[in-house]
Amino acid sequence: MAGILFGSPFIIIVILLTFLLVLLLFVDNYSNISVIKKFYSFGTIIQIEAYGKNAEKAIDEAAEKLQHIDDEMSVFKESSDVSNINRNAGIQFQQVDEETYYVIKKAAEYGEISNGAFDVTIRPLVKLWGIGSDNARIPDKKDINVTKRLIDYKDILFDEKNCSIKLSRINQELDLGGIAKGFAADNIKSILRKNGIKKGIIDLGGNIYALGGKRFGKGWDIGIQDPFETRGKYLGFINVSNKSIVTSGNYERYSLINGQYFQHIIDPKTGYPSDSNIVSATIISDLSIDGDGLSTGVYIIGIDKALKLIESIKNVEAIFITKSKEIYMTSGLKSKFKLTNGDFIIKNNNENNTEVQNENKNIQTANI
Ligand code: AMP
Ligand code: MG
């Protein structure tokens, strides 16, 4: 009897303390106070939003990491690993940072997976066309054909023991523009997590990582850019938590040459900007590097092959938008995507999603 009398208040106190602790953790990680920082890096606008007491410190750390990755992987920086590899093409192996090695190795894997549509040795063609730059032009067919022969990811030689890479032939050049942002997003996510942050949005100009959820137990609503509209106008949204959402779109970088629009993703097989029926490819995956490599690759191969390819990869989903405003998506997205713009139609087997929802004002847009 005495034991019970002694035990009861004790248990109540323990329960109360536990409740208080859980509440404190909850308030800290899911508080509505966030730190948002916007800056320019990787040739794009970066926005990181983080919740929790270490948010400010974590974002500053992330910005430093971004700078470091850009310094290693940018083709525009003379002293980067990538520029060093390019300068030594056909000459000798170049030792690189482990991170650069990892990204190039991954890029070569995506070359293989996409059957050469994603090809990280694309740089000579990117330079020839100059899309998105002041030198954009339609090159001579002859020049395109000659340059095209330089593009082959199978010519990347790896020396793992010495963390070194060589391009087999002179004038070959790497361009990590189609994959490095994904790697960067994965790194930022790790930095936020290391700092105890469980909730936030990482936006690297179209490469989004949705950390945790907007409210406890809920995901983030990520807007899917309408590829026929100005940035920030979305055609629907997808509710996700702890996922990367990467979009390759015709609106990201393009040039108007002789009255014709050309976008920046080049088909290595033709040497011309991709002219598949896809104008926007969004990949939802755990790792952003995977989403980035895949989104650029599937953009080129057209809707049928793209759907088949993504369906065959575990834990990866996709939304494709065609020139004729049709939306195709993989089977795993059935309950997650909501269409808000009636100009588009969902074309695959998912009837539940064809209903157009009311616009949700609190949506993060996948592209800023
Ligand atoms: P993203 O925005 O991720 O789709 O990447 C587009 C960028 O990747 C372009 O601006 C080029 O720098 C590069 N790129 C263009 N075509 C290809 C290709 N076929 N394979 C790999 N990278 C490419
Ligand atoms: Mg990409």
Side-chain angles (χ1 to χ4, degrees), residues 116-123 126 131 151 175-181 205 207 246-249 252-253 264-268 291-293 295-297 299-300:
F118 182 83
D119 194 318
V120 77
T121 65
I122 199 79
R123 175 75 183 152
V126 169
I131 291 166
I151 318 301
D175 173 355
L176 300 187
I179 195 162
K181 268 196 282 172
N207 279 44
V246 174
T247 301
S248 288
E252 278 184 342
R253 197 179 309 150
H264 65 142
I265 297 174
I266 297 181
D267 184 343
D292 204 358
S295 68
T296 311
Y299 186 95
I300 295 168

PDB file of all heavy atoms in Angstrom, residues 116-123 126 131 151 175-181 205 207 246-249 252-253 264-268 291-293 295-297 299-300, ligand 1:
ATOM      1  N   GLY A 116      23.574   6.407 -72.919  1.00  0.00           N
ATOM      2  CA  GLY A 116      24.333   7.478 -73.562  1.00  0.00           C
ATOM      3  C   GLY A 116      23.586   8.794 -73.751  1.00  0.00           C
ATOM      4  O   GLY A 116      24.140   9.750 -74.277  1.00  0.00           O
ATOM      5  N   ALA A 117      22.324   8.865 -73.305  1.00  0.00           N
ATOM      6  CA  ALA A 117      21.599  10.143 -73.433  1.00  0.00           C
ATOM      7  C   ALA A 117      22.209  11.161 -72.471  1.00  0.00           C
ATOM      8  O   ALA A 117      22.489  12.304 -72.849  1.00  0.00           O
ATOM      9  CB  ALA A 117      20.113   9.949 -73.133  1.00  0.00           C
ATOM     10  N   PHE A 118      22.414  10.744 -71.232  1.00  0.00           N
ATOM     11  CA  PHE A 118      23.151  11.599 -70.301  1.00  0.00           C
ATOM     12  C   PHE A 118      24.626  11.323 -70.556  1.00  0.00           C
ATOM     13  O   PHE A 118      25.082  10.189 -70.400  1.00  0.00           O
ATOM     14  CB  PHE A 118      22.786  11.272 -68.841  1.00  0.00           C
ATOM     15  CG  PHE A 118      23.485  12.173 -67.862  1.00  0.00           C
ATOM     16  CD1 PHE A 118      22.970  13.421 -67.573  1.00  0.00           C
ATOM     17  CD2 PHE A 118      24.674  11.787 -67.258  1.00  0.00           C
ATOM     18  CE1 PHE A 118      23.625  14.283 -66.691  1.00  0.00           C
ATOM     19  CE2 PHE A 118      25.338  12.632 -66.379  1.00  0.00           C
ATOM     20  CZ  PHE A 118      24.797  13.880 -66.094  1.00  0.00           C
ATOM     21  N   ASP A 119      25.338  12.349 -70.989  1.00  0.00           N
ATOM     22  CA  ASP A 119      26.759  12.155 -71.259  1.00  0.00           C
ATOM     23  C   ASP A 119      27.538  13.348 -70.736  1.00  0.00           C
ATOM     24  O   ASP A 119      27.419  14.469 -71.240  1.00  0.00           O
ATOM     25  CB  ASP A 119      27.011  11.955 -72.762  1.00  0.00           C
ATOM     26  CG  ASP A 119      28.413  11.407 -73.006  1.00  0.00           C
ATOM     27  OD1 ASP A 119      29.357  11.878 -72.339  1.00  0.00           O
ATOM     28  OD2 ASP A 119      28.556  10.494 -73.832  1.00  0.00           O
ATOM     29  N   VAL A 120      28.322  13.087 -69.697  1.00  0.00           N
ATOM     30  CA  VAL A 120      29.014  14.163 -68.994  1.00  0.00           C
ATOM     31  C   VAL A 120      30.203  14.717 -69.798  1.00  0.00           C
ATOM     32  O   VAL A 120      30.780  15.736 -69.433  1.00  0.00           O
ATOM     33  CB  VAL A 120      29.397  13.645 -67.583  1.00  0.00           C
ATOM     34  CG1 VAL A 120      30.608  12.714 -67.662  1.00  0.00           C
ATOM     35  CG2 VAL A 120      29.602  14.760 -66.603  1.00  0.00           C
ATOM     36  N   THR A 121      30.519  14.077 -70.948  1.00  0.00           N
ATOM     37  CA  THR A 121      31.568  14.640 -71.824  1.00  0.00           C
ATOM     38  C   THR A 121      30.953  15.594 -72.863  1.00  0.00           C
ATOM     39  O   THR A 121      31.545  15.870 -73.903  1.00  0.00           O
ATOM     40  CB  THR A 121      32.368  13.521 -72.552  1.00  0.00           C
ATOM     41  OG1 THR A 121      31.477  12.819 -73.438  1.00  0.00           O
ATOM     42  CG2 THR A 121      32.989  12.538 -71.577  1.00  0.00           C
ATOM     43  N   ILE A 122      29.783  16.103 -72.579  1.00  0.00           N
ATOM     44  CA  ILE A 122      29.002  16.911 -73.525  1.00  0.00           C
ATOM     45  C   ILE A 122      29.593  18.310 -73.775  1.00  0.00           C
ATOM     46  O   ILE A 122      29.192  19.007 -74.717  1.00  0.00           O
ATOM     47  CB  ILE A 122      27.542  17.052 -72.997  1.00  0.00           C
ATOM     48  CG1 ILE A 122      26.566  17.466 -74.092  1.00  0.00           C
ATOM     49  CG2 ILE A 122      27.452  17.980 -71.819  1.00  0.00           C
ATOM     50  CD1 ILE A 122      26.149  16.363 -74.992  1.00  0.00           C
ATOM     51  N   ARG A 123      30.524  18.726 -72.972  1.00  0.00           N
ATOM     52  CA  ARG A 123      31.018  20.111 -72.993  1.00  0.00           C
ATOM     53  C   ARG A 123      31.367  20.657 -74.396  1.00  0.00           C
ATOM     54  O   ARG A 123      30.987  21.789 -74.718  1.00  0.00           O
ATOM     55  CB  ARG A 123      32.213  20.222 -72.026  1.00  0.00           C
ATOM     56  CG  ARG A 123      32.919  21.568 -72.010  1.00  0.00           C
ATOM     57  CD  ARG A 123      32.148  22.637 -71.279  1.00  0.00           C
ATOM     58  NE  ARG A 123      32.822  23.913 -71.358  1.00  0.00           N
ATOM     59  CZ  ARG A 123      32.223  25.099 -71.307  1.00  0.00           C
ATOM     60  NH1 ARG A 123      30.920  25.166 -71.141  1.00  0.00           N
ATOM     61  NH2 ARG A 123      32.895  26.197 -71.378  1.00  0.00           N
ATOM     62  N   VAL A 126      28.199  21.719 -75.894  1.00  0.00           N
ATOM     63  CA  VAL A 126      27.613  22.835 -75.135  1.00  0.00           C
ATOM     64  C   VAL A 126      28.295  24.142 -75.543  1.00  0.00           C
ATOM     65  O   VAL A 126      27.644  25.164 -75.767  1.00  0.00           O
ATOM     66  CB  VAL A 126      27.739  22.585 -73.601  1.00  0.00           C
ATOM     67  CG1 VAL A 126      27.396  23.830 -72.800  1.00  0.00           C
ATOM     68  CG2 VAL A 126      26.851  21.419 -73.175  1.00  0.00           C
ATOM     69  N   ILE A 131      24.276  27.842 -75.882  1.00  0.00           N
ATOM     70  CA  ILE A 131      22.903  28.189 -75.473  1.00  0.00           C
ATOM     71  C   ILE A 131      22.866  28.779 -74.075  1.00  0.00           C
ATOM     72  O   ILE A 131      23.520  28.297 -73.160  1.00  0.00           O
ATOM     73  CB  ILE A 131      21.987  26.952 -75.606  1.00  0.00           C
ATOM     74  CG1 ILE A 131      21.843  26.665 -77.097  1.00  0.00           C
ATOM     75  CG2 ILE A 131      20.618  27.185 -74.964  1.00  0.00           C
ATOM     76  CD1 ILE A 131      21.276  25.362 -77.436  1.00  0.00           C
ATOM     77  N   ILE A 151      32.114  13.255 -78.071  1.00  0.00           N
ATOM     78  CA  ILE A 151      31.251  13.009 -76.911  1.00  0.00           C
ATOM     79  C   ILE A 151      31.124  11.508 -76.678  1.00  0.00           C
ATOM     80  O   ILE A 151      30.525  10.797 -77.487  1.00  0.00           O
ATOM     81  CB  ILE A 151      29.827  13.619 -77.126  1.00  0.00           C
ATOM     82  CG1 ILE A 151      29.895  15.016 -77.766  1.00  0.00           C
ATOM     83  CG2 ILE A 151      29.019  13.596 -75.831  1.00  0.00           C
ATOM     84  CD1 ILE A 151      30.657  16.059 -77.015  1.00  0.00           C
ATOM     85  N   ASP A 175      31.516  18.307 -68.437  1.00  0.00           N
ATOM     86  CA  ASP A 175      30.633  19.381 -67.977  1.00  0.00           C
ATOM     87  C   ASP A 175      29.711  18.751 -66.935  1.00  0.00           C
ATOM     88  O   ASP A 175      28.857  17.928 -67.277  1.00  0.00           O
ATOM     89  CB  ASP A 175      29.822  19.906 -69.173  1.00  0.00           C
ATOM     90  CG  ASP A 175      28.755  20.914 -68.771  1.00  0.00           C
ATOM     91  OD1 ASP A 175      28.577  21.148 -67.556  1.00  0.00           O
ATOM     92  OD2 ASP A 175      28.091  21.455 -69.682  1.00  0.00           O
ATOM     93  N   LEU A 176      29.901  19.121 -65.673  1.00  0.00           N
ATOM     94  CA  LEU A 176      29.095  18.508 -64.604  1.00  0.00           C
ATOM     95  C   LEU A 176      27.806  19.282 -64.323  1.00  0.00           C
ATOM     96  O   LEU A 176      27.133  19.041 -63.326  1.00  0.00           O
ATOM     97  CB  LEU A 176      29.914  18.387 -63.307  1.00  0.00           C
ATOM     98  CG  LEU A 176      31.188  17.539 -63.373  1.00  0.00           C
ATOM     99  CD1 LEU A 176      31.794  17.359 -61.983  1.00  0.00           C
ATOM    100  CD2 LEU A 176      30.901  16.177 -63.967  1.00  0.00           C
ATOM    101  N   GLY A 177      27.479  20.206 -65.238  1.00  0.00           N
ATOM    102  CA  GLY A 177      26.284  21.056 -65.064  1.00  0.00           C
ATOM    103  C   GLY A 177      24.988  20.272 -64.905  1.00  0.00           C
ATOM    104  O   GLY A 177      24.032  20.760 -64.321  1.00  0.00           O
ATOM    105  N   GLY A 178      24.969  19.050 -65.412  1.00  0.00           N
ATOM    106  CA  GLY A 178      23.742  18.258 -65.336  1.00  0.00           C
ATOM    107  C   GLY A 178      23.646  17.393 -64.105  1.00  0.00           C
ATOM    108  O   GLY A 178      22.647  16.692 -63.922  1.00  0.00           O
ATOM    109  N   ILE A 179      24.646  17.439 -63.211  1.00  0.00           N
ATOM    110  CA  ILE A 179      24.624  16.525 -62.064  1.00  0.00           C
ATOM    111  C   ILE A 179      25.174  17.119 -60.753  1.00  0.00           C
ATOM    112  O   ILE A 179      24.798  16.682 -59.663  1.00  0.00           O
ATOM    113  CB  ILE A 179      25.370  15.196 -62.423  1.00  0.00           C
ATOM    114  CG1 ILE A 179      25.055  14.095 -61.404  1.00  0.00           C
ATOM    115  CG2 ILE A 179      26.862  15.412 -62.599  1.00  0.00           C
ATOM    116  CD1 ILE A 179      25.367  12.697 -61.878  1.00  0.00           C
ATOM    117  N   ALA A 180      26.019  18.148 -60.860  1.00  0.00           N
ATOM    118  CA  ALA A 180      26.700  18.653 -59.654  1.00  0.00           C
ATOM    119  C   ALA A 180      25.744  19.270 -58.635  1.00  0.00           C
ATOM    120  O   ALA A 180      25.962  19.177 -57.421  1.00  0.00           O
ATOM    121  CB  ALA A 180      27.769  19.668 -60.044  1.00  0.00           C
ATOM    122  N   LYS A 181      24.667  19.885 -59.125  1.00  0.00           N
ATOM    123  CA  LYS A 181      23.722  20.509 -58.182  1.00  0.00           C
ATOM    124  C   LYS A 181      23.043  19.452 -57.309  1.00  0.00           C
ATOM    125  O   LYS A 181      22.751  19.688 -56.146  1.00  0.00           O
ATOM    126  CB  LYS A 181      22.661  21.311 -58.940  1.00  0.00           C
ATOM    127  CG  LYS A 181      23.078  22.767 -59.110  1.00  0.00           C
ATOM    128  CD  LYS A 181      21.913  23.637 -59.504  1.00  0.00           C
ATOM    129  CE  LYS A 181      21.566  23.502 -60.950  1.00  0.00           C
ATOM    130  NZ  LYS A 181      20.334  24.188 -61.332  1.00  0.00           N
ATOM    131  N   GLY A 205      17.875  26.393 -57.307  1.00  0.00           N
ATOM    132  CA  GLY A 205      17.366  26.798 -58.615  1.00  0.00           C
ATOM    133  C   GLY A 205      16.712  25.673 -59.405  1.00  0.00           C
ATOM    134  O   GLY A 205      17.073  25.420 -60.552  1.00  0.00           O
ATOM    135  N   ASN A 207      16.492  22.416 -58.234  1.00  0.00           N
ATOM    136  CA  ASN A 207      16.792  21.176 -57.507  1.00  0.00           C
ATOM    137  C   ASN A 207      16.334  21.377 -56.070  1.00  0.00           C
ATOM    138  O   ASN A 207      16.951  22.131 -55.326  1.00  0.00           O
ATOM    139  CB  ASN A 207      18.304  20.907 -57.482  1.00  0.00           C
ATOM    140  CG  ASN A 207      18.803  20.287 -58.744  1.00  0.00           C
ATOM    141  OD1 ASN A 207      18.426  20.725 -59.824  1.00  0.00           O
ATOM    142  ND2 ASN A 207      19.646  19.288 -58.628  1.00  0.00           N
ATOM    143  N   VAL A 246      13.838  17.013 -58.518  1.00  0.00           N
ATOM    144  CA  VAL A 246      14.702  17.724 -59.473  1.00  0.00           C
ATOM    145  C   VAL A 246      13.996  17.811 -60.823  1.00  0.00           C
ATOM    146  O   VAL A 246      13.483  16.806 -61.312  1.00  0.00           O
ATOM    147  CB  VAL A 246      16.038  16.978 -59.653  1.00  0.00           C
ATOM    148  CG1 VAL A 246      16.862  17.619 -60.748  1.00  0.00           C
ATOM    149  CG2 VAL A 246      16.827  16.964 -58.365  1.00  0.00           C
ATOM    150  N   THR A 247      13.990  18.997 -61.399  1.00  0.00           N
ATOM    151  CA  THR A 247      13.351  19.162 -62.707  1.00  0.00           C
ATOM    152  C   THR A 247      14.354  19.634 -63.756  1.00  0.00           C
ATOM    153  O   THR A 247      15.134  20.551 -63.509  1.00  0.00           O
ATOM    154  CB  THR A 247      12.195  20.181 -62.617  1.00  0.00           C
ATOM    155  OG1 THR A 247      11.247  19.714 -61.668  1.00  0.00           O
ATOM    156  CG2 THR A 247      11.500  20.350 -63.965  1.00  0.00           C
ATOM    157  N   SER A 248      14.330  18.981 -64.905  1.00  0.00           N
ATOM    158  CA  SER A 248      15.029  19.505 -66.076  1.00  0.00           C
ATOM    159  C   SER A 248      13.959  20.037 -67.009  1.00  0.00           C
ATOM    160  O   SER A 248      13.043  19.295 -67.385  1.00  0.00           O
ATOM    161  CB  SER A 248      15.809  18.398 -66.795  1.00  0.00           C
ATOM    162  OG  SER A 248      16.930  18.037 -66.029  1.00  0.00           O
ATOM    163  N   GLY A 249      14.068  21.299 -67.366  1.00  0.00           N
ATOM    164  CA  GLY A 249      13.003  21.893 -68.172  1.00  0.00           C
ATOM    165  C   GLY A 249      13.526  22.767 -69.288  1.00  0.00           C
ATOM    166  O   GLY A 249      14.631  23.310 -69.211  1.00  0.00           O
ATOM    167  N   GLU A 252      14.538  26.416 -68.366  1.00  0.00           N
ATOM    168  CA  GLU A 252      15.649  26.702 -67.449  1.00  0.00           C
ATOM    169  C   GLU A 252      16.724  27.565 -68.086  1.00  0.00           C
ATOM    170  O   GLU A 252      17.184  28.531 -67.503  1.00  0.00           O
ATOM    171  CB  GLU A 252      16.272  25.399 -66.965  1.00  0.00           C
ATOM    172  CG  GLU A 252      15.503  24.782 -65.825  1.00  0.00           C
ATOM    173  CD  GLU A 252      16.176  23.557 -65.292  1.00  0.00           C
ATOM    174  OE1 GLU A 252      17.035  22.993 -65.993  1.00  0.00           O
ATOM    175  OE2 GLU A 252      15.832  23.160 -64.178  1.00  0.00           O
ATOM    176  N   ARG A 253      17.154  27.141 -69.248  1.00  0.00           N
ATOM    177  CA  ARG A 253      18.130  27.956 -69.995  1.00  0.00           C
ATOM    178  C   ARG A 253      17.855  27.736 -71.473  1.00  0.00           C
ATOM    179  O   ARG A 253      17.740  26.596 -71.928  1.00  0.00           O
ATOM    180  CB  ARG A 253      19.559  27.528 -69.658  1.00  0.00           C
ATOM    181  CG  ARG A 253      20.558  28.591 -70.085  1.00  0.00           C
ATOM    182  CD  ARG A 253      21.976  28.229 -69.766  1.00  0.00           C
ATOM    183  NE  ARG A 253      22.190  27.820 -68.399  1.00  0.00           N
ATOM    184  CZ  ARG A 253      23.128  26.955 -68.036  1.00  0.00           C
ATOM    185  NH1 ARG A 253      23.904  26.408 -68.950  1.00  0.00           N
ATOM    186  NH2 ARG A 253      23.306  26.636 -66.774  1.00  0.00           N
ATOM    187  N   HIS A 264      18.765  24.088 -73.538  1.00  0.00           N
ATOM    188  CA  HIS A 264      20.176  23.793 -73.213  1.00  0.00           C
ATOM    189  C   HIS A 264      20.574  22.327 -73.080  1.00  0.00           C
ATOM    190  O   HIS A 264      21.748  22.027 -72.901  1.00  0.00           O
ATOM    191  CB  HIS A 264      20.522  24.507 -71.910  1.00  0.00           C
ATOM    192  CG  HIS A 264      19.768  23.990 -70.724  1.00  0.00           C
ATOM    193  ND1 HIS A 264      20.330  23.869 -69.475  1.00  0.00           N
ATOM    194  CD2 HIS A 264      18.490  23.548 -70.610  1.00  0.00           C
ATOM    195  CE1 HIS A 264      19.434  23.385 -68.646  1.00  0.00           C
ATOM    196  NE2 HIS A 264      18.318  23.196 -69.298  1.00  0.00           N
ATOM    197  N   ILE A 265      19.616  21.410 -73.169  1.00  0.00           N
ATOM    198  CA  ILE A 265      19.983  19.997 -73.035  1.00  0.00           C
ATOM    199  C   ILE A 265      20.218  19.430 -74.433  1.00  0.00           C
ATOM    200  O   ILE A 265      19.332  19.488 -75.299  1.00  0.00           O
ATOM    201  CB  ILE A 265      18.905  19.210 -72.264  1.00  0.00           C
ATOM    202  CG1 ILE A 265      18.813  19.777 -70.838  1.00  0.00           C
ATOM    203  CG2 ILE A 265      19.235  17.720 -72.251  1.00  0.00           C
ATOM    204  CD1 ILE A 265      17.701  19.199 -70.008  1.00  0.00           C
ATOM    205  N   ILE A 266      21.407  18.911 -74.631  1.00  0.00           N
ATOM    206  CA  ILE A 266      21.801  18.496 -75.984  1.00  0.00           C
ATOM    207  C   ILE A 266      21.795  16.977 -76.104  1.00  0.00           C
ATOM    208  O   ILE A 266      22.274  16.267 -75.212  1.00  0.00           O
ATOM    209  CB  ILE A 266      23.189  19.080 -76.329  1.00  0.00           C
ATOM    210  CG1 ILE A 266      23.060  20.607 -76.328  1.00  0.00           C
ATOM    211  CG2 ILE A 266      23.694  18.570 -77.675  1.00  0.00           C
ATOM    212  CD1 ILE A 266      24.288  21.362 -76.669  1.00  0.00           C
ATOM    213  N   ASP A 267      21.225  16.523 -77.197  1.00  0.00           N
ATOM    214  CA  ASP A 267      21.184  15.083 -77.456  1.00  0.00           C
ATOM    215  C   ASP A 267      22.523  14.659 -78.061  1.00  0.00           C
ATOM    216  O   ASP A 267      22.855  15.052 -79.187  1.00  0.00           O
ATOM    217  CB  ASP A 267      20.027  14.788 -78.435  1.00  0.00           C
ATOM    218  CG  ASP A 267      19.854  13.301 -78.672  1.00  0.00           C
ATOM    219  OD1 ASP A 267      20.795  12.532 -78.362  1.00  0.00           O
ATOM    220  OD2 ASP A 267      18.781  12.904 -79.169  1.00  0.00           O
ATOM    221  N   PRO A 268      23.307  13.867 -77.331  1.00  0.00           N
ATOM    222  CA  PRO A 268      24.638  13.502 -77.833  1.00  0.00           C
ATOM    223  C   PRO A 268      24.575  12.725 -79.150  1.00  0.00           C
ATOM    224  O   PRO A 268      25.543  12.719 -79.905  1.00  0.00           O
ATOM    225  CB  PRO A 268      25.209  12.602 -76.726  1.00  0.00           C
ATOM    226  CG  PRO A 268      24.341  12.786 -75.547  1.00  0.00           C
ATOM    227  CD  PRO A 268      23.002  13.236 -76.035  1.00  0.00           C
ATOM    228  N   GLY A 291      18.521  12.003 -58.890  1.00  0.00           N
ATOM    229  CA  GLY A 291      17.459  12.746 -59.559  1.00  0.00           C
ATOM    230  C   GLY A 291      18.020  13.660 -60.638  1.00  0.00           C
ATOM    231  O   GLY A 291      17.446  13.781 -61.728  1.00  0.00           O
ATOM    232  N   ASP A 292      19.175  14.273 -60.351  1.00  0.00           N
ATOM    233  CA  ASP A 292      19.763  15.227 -61.292  1.00  0.00           C
ATOM    234  C   ASP A 292      20.264  14.521 -62.558  1.00  0.00           C
ATOM    235  O   ASP A 292      19.927  14.916 -63.685  1.00  0.00           O
ATOM    236  CB  ASP A 292      20.911  15.975 -60.600  1.00  0.00           C
ATOM    237  CG  ASP A 292      21.184  17.321 -61.231  1.00  0.00           C
ATOM    238  OD1 ASP A 292      20.503  17.658 -62.229  1.00  0.00           O
ATOM    239  OD2 ASP A 292      22.076  18.042 -60.745  1.00  0.00           O
ATOM    240  N   GLY A 293      21.030  13.457 -62.360  1.00  0.00           N
ATOM    241  CA  GLY A 293      21.540  12.696 -63.513  1.00  0.00           C
ATOM    242  C   GLY A 293      20.394  12.153 -64.350  1.00  0.00           C
ATOM    243  O   GLY A 293      20.391  12.266 -65.581  1.00  0.00           O
ATOM    244  N   SER A 295      17.161  13.193 -64.486  1.00  0.00           N
ATOM    245  CA  SER A 295      16.249  14.167 -65.106  1.00  0.00           C
ATOM    246  C   SER A 295      16.820  14.671 -66.429  1.00  0.00           C
ATOM    247  O   SER A 295      16.101  14.782 -67.430  1.00  0.00           O
ATOM    248  CB  SER A 295      15.935  15.339 -64.164  1.00  0.00           C
ATOM    249  OG  SER A 295      17.075  16.125 -63.967  1.00  0.00           O
ATOM    250  N   THR A 296      18.104  14.929 -66.459  1.00  0.00           N
ATOM    251  CA  THR A 296      18.722  15.418 -67.696  1.00  0.00           C
ATOM    252  C   THR A 296      18.704  14.322 -68.771  1.00  0.00           C
ATOM    253  O   THR A 296      18.416  14.594 -69.936  1.00  0.00           O
ATOM    254  CB  THR A 296      20.173  15.876 -67.429  1.00  0.00           C
ATOM    255  OG1 THR A 296      20.169  16.741 -66.284  1.00  0.00           O
ATOM    256  CG2 THR A 296      20.761  16.618 -68.610  1.00  0.00           C
ATOM    257  N   GLY A 297      18.985  13.085 -68.341  1.00  0.00           N
ATOM    258  CA  GLY A 297      19.026  11.970 -69.295  1.00  0.00           C
ATOM    259  C   GLY A 297      17.659  11.643 -69.878  1.00  0.00           C
ATOM    260  O   GLY A 297      17.513  11.551 -71.106  1.00  0.00           O
ATOM    261  N   TYR A 299      15.028  13.417 -70.118  1.00  0.00           N
ATOM    262  CA  TYR A 299      14.496  14.527 -70.908  1.00  0.00           C
ATOM    263  C   TYR A 299      14.689  14.259 -72.404  1.00  0.00           C
ATOM    264  O   TYR A 299      13.837  14.581 -73.233  1.00  0.00           O
ATOM    265  CB  TYR A 299      15.246  15.810 -70.493  1.00  0.00           C
ATOM    266  CG  TYR A 299      14.734  17.072 -71.106  1.00  0.00           C
ATOM    267  CD1 TYR A 299      13.817  17.870 -70.431  1.00  0.00           C
ATOM    268  CD2 TYR A 299      15.174  17.491 -72.368  1.00  0.00           C
ATOM    269  CE1 TYR A 299      13.352  19.044 -71.000  1.00  0.00           C
ATOM    270  CE2 TYR A 299      14.706  18.656 -72.939  1.00  0.00           C
ATOM    271  CZ  TYR A 299      13.799  19.427 -72.253  1.00  0.00           C
ATOM    272  OH  TYR A 299      13.330  20.575 -72.813  1.00  0.00           O
ATOM    273  N   ILE A 300      15.825  13.628 -72.710  1.00  0.00           N
ATOM    274  CA  ILE A 300      16.214  13.434 -74.114  1.00  0.00           C
ATOM    275  C   ILE A 300      15.531  12.230 -74.761  1.00  0.00           C
ATOM    276  O   ILE A 300      15.240  12.240 -75.954  1.00  0.00           O
ATOM    277  CB  ILE A 300      17.762  13.249 -74.176  1.00  0.00           C
ATOM    278  CG1 ILE A 300      18.467  14.529 -73.721  1.00  0.00           C
ATOM    279  CG2 ILE A 300      18.230  12.843 -75.565  1.00  0.00           C
ATOM    280  CD1 ILE A 300      19.951  14.378 -73.461  1.00  0.00           C
TER     281      ILE A 300
HETATM  282  P1  AMP B   1      19.965  20.006 -65.899  1.00  0.00           P
HETATM  283  O1  AMP B   1      19.467  21.385 -65.669  1.00  0.00           O
HETATM  284  O2  AMP B   1      20.315  19.251 -64.659  1.00  0.00           O
HETATM  285  O3  AMP B   1      19.098  19.196 -66.782  1.00  0.00           O
HETATM  286  O4  AMP B   1      21.361  20.128 -66.645  1.00  0.00           O
HETATM  287  C1  AMP B   1      21.499  20.811 -67.857  1.00  0.00           C
HETATM  288  C2  AMP B   1      22.966  21.065 -68.084  1.00  0.00           C
HETATM  289  O5  AMP B   1      23.651  19.821 -68.273  1.00  0.00           O
HETATM  290  C3  AMP B   1      23.253  21.865 -69.329  1.00  0.00           C
HETATM  291  O6  AMP B   1      23.212  23.250 -69.076  1.00  0.00           O
HETATM  292  C4  AMP B   1      24.635  21.377 -69.715  1.00  0.00           C
HETATM  293  O7  AMP B   1      25.611  22.023 -68.926  1.00  0.00           O
HETATM  294  C5  AMP B   1      24.590  19.918 -69.329  1.00  0.00           C
HETATM  295  N1  AMP B   1      24.098  19.035 -70.392  1.00  0.00           N
HETATM  296  C6  AMP B   1      23.469  19.345 -71.564  1.00  0.00           C
HETATM  297  N2  AMP B   1      23.167  18.245 -72.264  1.00  0.00           N
HETATM  298  C7  AMP B   1      23.630  17.201 -71.541  1.00  0.00           C
HETATM  299  C8  AMP B   1      23.641  15.786 -71.731  1.00  0.00           C
HETATM  300  N3  AMP B   1      23.107  15.211 -72.806  1.00  0.00           N
HETATM  301  N4  AMP B   1      24.211  15.012 -70.772  1.00  0.00           N
HETATM  302  C9  AMP B   1      24.775  15.560 -69.666  1.00  0.00           C
HETATM  303  N5  AMP B   1      24.783  16.875 -69.412  1.00  0.00           N
HETATM  304  C10 AMP B   1      24.221  17.690 -70.336  1.00  0.00           C
END
